Amino acid sequence: KMVDPTLAEMGKNLNEAMKMLEDNQRKAEEENEKKYARKDIPGPLQGSGQDMVSILQLVQNLMHGEEEEETSQSYRLQNVGEQGHMALLGHSLAAYISVLDRERLRKLTTRILSDTTLWLCRLFRYENGSAYYHEDDREGLLKICRLVIHTRYDDYTIEGFNVLCSKQPVIYISSAARAGLGQALCNQLGLPLSCMCRVPCNTMFGSQHQMDVALLDRVIKDDVESGKLPLLLVANAGTPGAGHTDKLGRLKELCEQHNMWLHVEGVNLATLALGYVSSSVLAATKCDSMTLTLGSWLGLPAVPAVTLYRHEDPSLSLAAGLTSSQPVEKLRALPLWLSLQYLGHDGIVERIKHASQLSQRLLENLKNLDFIKTSVEDELSSPVVVFKFVQEYSNRDQTSHAAQASTIQHPIISNERHIYDTFNQWLGEQLAQLVPASGVDVVELEDEGTCVRFSPLMTSAGNTPCRQPLVKAGLCCHHIHHSHICSLVLGTEIQDIDQLVDCLKMKIPVLTSTLQLREEFEQEVRRTVGLLYIEDLGWPGLGVVRYNYHSDEKNDDKQEKELEKINTELLKKLNELESDLTFSLGPEFGGQKNCVYIGMVTEDLDVSELVETIAATGREIEENSRLLENMTEVVRKGIQEAQLQLQKANEERLLEEGLLRQIPVVGSVLNWFSPFQASPKGRTFNLTAGSLESTESTYVSKAQGTGTTPPPTPTSSLAKQRLPGQKAFKRSLRSSDGFSETSSISHCDDLEKMDQRPPALSPSQEQGPLETENPEEQKEAAQAQTNTEDTHSDKSPPDCAKGEEQASER
């Protein structure tokens, strides 16, 4: 039972607040309101104030209310779990503890800081280390750089940057380090970019992703000879992209030789807490400092990163900002202090071990898959798995292909790499969408291009049973699964890895088929009149095609509009077909205009039929468009001709009737005494013929003639016969045996139909029925016809006759 009522009330309020913020079961129509609702407009503070429930409701509306429907799921608050609530409680407790008197606050913060530092040093095998807790994971390295500057430049505290002018400091980082790290350090330290030296990785010998130690040694010696001061080296125990580990043992020896500071960071440092650690990662325990990101490794929200370091002078640590005399700043470790106690040593190790087991299981399955290549040298120790799709070339020597691949300048090889990057980008997006719990993402590597990365320590953590005392105290997560298990972050499990492998097995045949048919599709399009092949290496699919509009006009704007109209209608027609293909206008940004983009395909695609259908459909749309334009022109000319003929008919009528009949009064009297008989002369416009015709035949026959039959609408000539249920553009994959069996059955059916038809008539019978009035002769003729039918039935094949007997029995 809690003694302090304030702590109990704080835990209760935190639990209620998290319940409200994590409630995702509300109806969508209640959440999705107009973006600029009146209640969202900022107004004055209410004089009487608001209660906590109303304020939390406002926070929840701000978190979820303005999200679009398609993106609201991805931005919702994740289930942080019970251990996450402990971390969040630490921030509340830090604010509460800060109001204590100075002496109590000093004792409490000293205990929290010393406990957390001791636990982390023992857990990650870093003896006699100090700890600095920081929010930004780059801030620890920044303070270490300041510590080294204070250590190597004796008068830096007094002289400042003037001391640096005598000997320019140099900081060495790997080319595989995270982007922008060197520039951020120079900006914060006030150093020019020339103080940052990027060390390339091995390209000729050894690993392609580890720092080149021999080259680094030569660079350091050159800098010393030029009057520079080698200051610090940043190495990787798990690169940000692919989880590669540098040769930390040799780098430590090199740093001791040149009196340099060695700082290590990376996700592989988490494996130091396991029982078995590889020698490459174990060498990190001898470095001068390391940065640990426990929040992502253990699934703890809002906990600080930790930089462990060894230094004997506390005054320089204070000057560099690694330690502080303010007790409030020492409370940064409080959320981590609570979380580590809640998880315990076994819980922390179990989470890291669980992530490593997930990576090893995925890696073992990937080794058994064709067309999949992994790219981590120390595969057993790294918790990061990076793989990519690579087409195998059976007709080439793999050695020669590897030699060609190294020549990136060749245009064919360069295009091939771009295509693979595009396909792997599509593969990573598909896997992330199909199995979101896996947390896979797409990463760009300098040497290997686009790859798919699985890093469970960054997206997943193990499961830990809920503690019943905390449940009773009101501090546990309300989302408790069966058997009291709370998942962290994505909660990746073994079944998610199996599902990921299954999805990968389904996508590999699609990738291989599309890659193999791309060249055939390009050749078919190039040899087809009216189609233009558009090369877009960034499109993950079969290819891009455009229907060319042929016109003699010189108006480019009109041709462009007509081309857009035809290709838009072509896309609409193709999407109306019953097929498994996806036709689209391409990507929203960076795609070609007025084109049809075809997505991924399967091996049973009939490329020739697809290309011919696209060309025929485009011609049909173009001819229909031209027919409409010609008809419009014909109608316009017909109207003009009709006006001329009407004017001519009026003139002829005046000549026939005479001038007197045109006078109103005289014409009426004259018509009464001598009526004028004139034949009606009308005109009708034939749209089909495009000409004016006389209506005399209409008055004679008392019915309007139909005229000439209009020309048929141009249609596609590809009325291919497909089997029932077979979709468009599919090749028939039947075997030869099945085909012969089907053919024989259909042949017997045709023979049965032939036997059921009337017998062939003789030349004399084709004349018509027998013209005789004698009944006896008619009876003899009927008997002769019956004998003829019996003769034909005896000559039918035995198999078909047997089939007829079986059919009659059924």
Side-chain angles (χ1 to χ4, degrees):
K1 184 177 180 180
M2 289 189 179
V3 179
D4 193 342
T6 306
L7 293 179
E9 185 68 20
M10 184 184 304
K12 180 181 178 180
N13 293 339
L14 177 65
N15 187 37
E16 293 178 355
M18 292 305 299
K19 283 183 178 180
M20 293 186 61
L21 295 178
E22 291 181 350
D23 187 10
N24 294 328
Q25 303 299 328
R26 301 192 176 186
K27 295 182 180 180
E29 56 268 16
E30 296 179 358
E31 297 291 337
N32 296 328
E33 299 180 356
K34 293 184 178 180
K35 187 174 182 180
Y36 298 102
R38 186 175 181 82
K39 66 177 184 178
D40 294 333
I41 300 177
L45 286 174
Q46 297 185 7
S48 58
Q50 301 184 48
D51 56 358
M52 186 184 67
V53 177
S54 301
I55 298 175
L56 290 177
Q57 184 66 42
L58 176 61
V59 173
Q60 183 180 13
N61 293 337
L62 293 176
M63 292 171 61
H64 305 293
E66 298 181 358
E67 295 174 357
E68 300 179 358
E69 296 181 0
E70 61 270 13
T71 60
S72 60
Q73 296 294 333
S74 59
Y75 288 98
R76 289 191 176 181
L77 186 66
Q78 294 175 339
N79 179 20
V80 295
E82 182 182 349
Q83 75 291 332
H85 285 198
M86 294 300 298
L88 298 178
L89 179 62
H91 291 274
S92 301
L93 286 175
Y96 174 66
I97 294 174
S98 63
V99 301
L100 297 176
D101 60 275
R102 189 173 185 84
E103 185 62 25
R104 285 179 177 269
L105 180 60
R106 185 186 62 81
K107 292 181 179 180
L108 181 58
T109 54
T110 303
R111 171 65 184 275
I112 293 173
L113 195 62
S114 60
D115 287 351
T116 309
T117 303
L118 180 62
W119 295 336
L120 292 177
C121 289
R122 289 180 177 178
L123 186 64
F124 293 96
R125 310 184 185 204
Y126 198 81
E127 299 178 356
N128 301 325
S130 302
Y132 172 66
Y133 303 90
H134 46 93
E135 303 297 332
D136 189 355
D137 54 0
R138 296 176 300 183
E139 187 179 355
L141 177 57
L142 174 65
K143 297 298 178 65
I144 291 296
C145 291
R146 288 178 177 172
L147 174 63
V148 179
I149 291 176
H150 278 280
T151 304
R152 298 298 302 276
Y153 293 92
D154 297 334
D155 298 332
Y156 180 77
T157 306
I158 301 174
E159 299 293 336
F161 70 93
N162 291 326
V163 182
L164 305 179
C165 297
S166 59
K167 281 190 176 183
Q168 180 180 350
V170 182
I171 300 174
Y172 304 90
I173 64 173
S174 171
S175 60
R178 45 184 166 169
L181 178 61
Q183 184 176 2
L185 291 177
C186 290
N187 292 337
Q188 294 296 324
L189 295 173
L191 299 177
L193 293 179
S194 59
C195 294
M196 192 61 55
C197 178
R198 295 179 60 88
V199 183
C201 297
N202 292 349
T203 55
M204 297 299 294
F205 305 100
S207 171
Q208 297 182 358
H209 306 279
Q210 293 178 340
M211 195 182 303
D212 193 339
V213 182
L215 178 60
L216 175 62
D217 189 14
R218 293 196 300 268
V219 171
I220 293 175
K221 291 179 180 180
D222 293 341
D223 291 339
V224 172
E225 292 178 359
S226 61
K228 297 180 180 180
L229 179 62
L231 200 66
L232 180 141
L233 172 64
V234 182
N236 292 304
T239 55
H244 301 98
T245 302
D246 291 325
K247 301 173 183 178
L248 300 179
R250 295 184 58 189
L251 292 177
K252 177 59 180 175
E253 296 175 359
L254 186 62
C255 289
E256 291 178 350
Q257 178 182 353
H258 295 282
N259 195 19
M260 293 173 55
W261 186 284
L262 177 61
H263 179 83
V264 182
E265 59 181 22
V267 68
N268 290 351
L269 293 175
T271 59
L272 291 172
L274 301 179
Y276 170 76
V277 187
S278 64
S279 58
S280 59
V281 179
L282 189 60
T285 59
K286 304 300 181 181
C287 65
D288 298 302
S289 61
M290 65 169 64
T291 298
L292 311 175
T293 55
L294 298 173
S296 58
W297 297 350
L298 304 178
L300 302 175
V303 297
V306 184
T307 296
L308 301 179
Y309 65 97
R310 297 188 185 97
H311 199 267
E312 298 177 355
D313 193 346
S315 62
L316 295 182
S317 300
L318 180 62
L322 289 170
T323 58
S324 175
S325 59
Q326 299 296 326
V328 178
E329 295 186 6
K330 298 180 181 180
L331 289 175
R332 291 180 181 177
L334 182 57
L336 192 57
W337 183 73
L338 293 174
S339 301
L340 293 178
Q341 289 188 91
Y342 171 75
L343 294 174
H345 182 274
D346 295 339
I348 297 173
V349 173
E350 184 63 28
R351 292 169 190 275
I352 300 176
K353 183 179 179 181
H354 174 69
S356 300
Q357 290 176 349
L358 293 177
S359 299
Q360 291 183 11
R361 184 178 184 89
L362 177 61
L363 191 60
E364 291 174 357
N365 286 279
L366 293 179
K367 289 181 178 179
N368 299 326
L369 295 180
D370 296 331
F371 310 112
I372 295 297
K373 173 188 175 184
T374 58
S375 60
V376 178
E377 287 81 8
D378 197 4
E379 298 174 343
L380 297 178
S381 62
S382 176
V384 181
V385 178
V386 177
F387 61 93
K388 63 181 299 185
F389 164 77
V390 177
Q391 178 73 56
E392 294 181 356
Y393 294 88
S394 58
N395 56 345
R396 298 185 187 179
D397 185 15
Q398 296 182 356
T399 304
S400 61
H401 178 67
Q404 292 178 4
S406 62
T407 311
I408 304 299
Q409 292 80 6
H410 197 279
I412 298 179
I413 302 300
S414 179
N415 293 345
E416 182 180 326
R417 175 168 177 174
H418 278 88
I419 294 174
Y420 279 127
D421 290 346
T422 302
F423 276 43
N424 283 282
Q425 177 79 24
W426 177 86
L427 177 62
E429 294 174 355
Q430 289 291 313
L431 294 178
Q433 182 179 1
L434 295 174
V435 192
S438 64
V440 296
D441 60 348
V442 180
V443 62
E444 296 287 340
L445 299 181
E446 183 178 357
D447 296 330
E448 301 189 14
T450 304
C451 300
V452 184
R453 178 179 59 185
F454 174 70
S455 181
L457 277 176
M458 307 303 293
T459 59
S460 168
N463 296 325
T464 301
C466 292
R467 308 297 173 87
Q468 295 301 326
L470 289 176
V471 175
K472 296 179 181 179
L475 300 179
C476 181
C477 171
H478 68 287
H479 293 291
I480 300 179
H481 301 271
H482 300 290
S483 69
H484 303 287
I485 295 295
C486 290
S487 298
L488 299 178
V489 193
L490 296 178
T492 311
E493 297 294 341
I494 295 296
Q495 55 268 21
D496 298 323
I497 302 301
D498 297 338
Q499 183 182 359
L500 181 67
V501 175
D502 293 339
C503 294
L504 187 59
K505 290 180 180 178
M506 292 189 300
K507 296 301 178 181
I508 288 177
V510 178
L511 291 169
T512 54
S513 302
T514 306
L515 190 61
Q516 292 174 358
L517 295 176
R518 277 177 69 101
E519 185 176 356
E520 181 182 354
F521 175 75
E522 179 181 356
Q523 295 176 357
E524 288 289 340
V525 171
R526 293 189 184 279
R527 70 166 63 104
T528 303
V529 180
L531 297 183
L532 177 64
Y533 180 79
I534 305 299
E535 186 175 9
D536 190 349
L537 302 179
W539 172 248
L542 184 64
V544 187
V545 63
R546 174 187 296 162
Y547 183 81
N548 276 339
Y549 173 70
H550 302 284
S551 176
D552 298 334
E553 298 182 4
K554 298 183 179 180
N555 191 349
D556 295 338
D557 295 338
K558 186 177 180 180
Q559 290 185 10
E560 189 71 19
K561 291 181 180 179
E562 191 65 25
L563 181 65
E564 179 180 1
K565 179 181 177 182
I566 292 178
N567 283 276
T568 303
E569 186 66 22
L570 174 62
L571 177 64
K572 181 181 178 182
K573 293 282 186 182
L574 293 175
N575 284 323
E576 292 176 355
L577 300 176
E578 294 183 1
S579 66
D580 294 332
L581 302 181
T582 56
F583 303 94
S584 64
L585 293 174
E588 183 178 1
F589 302 101
Q592 295 284 341
K593 294 183 179 180
N594 305 328
C595 297
V596 177
Y597 285 75
I598 306 173
M600 292 289 177
V601 299
T602 55
E603 60 178 353
D604 56 350
L605 174 68
D606 194 338
V607 178
S608 59
E609 180 188 357
L610 172 62
V611 175
E612 190 176 355
T613 302
I614 295 175
T617 307
R619 287 193 299 267
E620 178 182 341
I621 297 173
E622 181 181 0
E623 291 174 2
N624 288 336
S625 177
R626 290 185 176 180
L627 181 61
L628 182 59
E629 292 180 359
N630 295 337
M631 186 176 296
T632 304
E633 184 66 20
V634 167
V635 171
R636 186 182 63 82
K637 292 182 179 180
I639 293 175
Q640 294 177 357
E641 184 179 354
Q643 291 177 351
L644 295 176
Q645 291 193 11
L646 287 175
Q647 184 179 358
K648 184 177 180 180
N650 289 333
E651 295 175 356
E652 292 178 353
R653 184 172 61 83
L654 289 176
L655 295 176
E656 291 180 2
E657 295 180 358
L659 182 61
L660 293 178
R661 293 182 183 273
Q662 308 303 320
I663 302 175
V665 179
V666 177
S668 300
V669 175
L670 187 60
N671 288 333
W672 184 72
F673 283 104
S674 177
F676 181 78
Q677 300 292 335
S679 60
K681 296 181 180 180
R683 296 289 187 273
T684 179
F685 183 71
N686 192 343
L687 289 176
T688 304
S691 60
L692 288 173
E693 299 177 356
S694 176
T695 58
E696 183 177 357
S697 60
T698 304
Y699 288 103
V700 172
S701 61
K702 306 298 182 181
Q704 188 172 359
T706 57
T708 312
T709 303
T713 303
T715 57
S716 174
S717 61
L718 293 175
K720 182 178 179 180
Q721 297 293 333
R722 290 191 293 268
L723 298 175
Q726 183 181 0
K727 295 186 179 181
F729 317 126
K730 294 290 184 180
R731 291 198 307 265
S732 178
L733 299 179
R734 296 181 301 180
S735 62
S736 58
D737 296 337
F739 178 77
S740 60
E741 181 181 356
T742 307
S743 302
S744 61
I745 294 176
S746 61
H747 180 63
C748 292
D749 293 340
D750 294 340
L751 291 178
E752 291 178 3
K753 293 179 182 179
M754 291 177 60
D755 294 335
Q756 293 175 2
R757 288 184 298 180
L761 299 178
S762 61
S764 59
Q765 291 172 338
E766 291 179 359
Q767 303 285 335
L770 296 175
E771 297 180 0
T772 176
E773 297 180 357
N774 191 350
E776 297 295 329
E777 294 179 3
Q778 292 181 2
K779 187 180 297 183
E780 292 177 1
Q783 185 67 26
Q785 184 175 356
T786 305
N787 295 335
T788 305
E789 293 177 358
D790 295 338
T791 304
H792 281 284
S793 62
D794 293 339
K795 294 180 180 181
S796 61
D799 295 339
C800 297
K802 187 182 298 183
E804 291 178 356
E805 293 177 0
Q806 295 176 357
S808 62
E809 291 177 1
R810 287 194 295 268

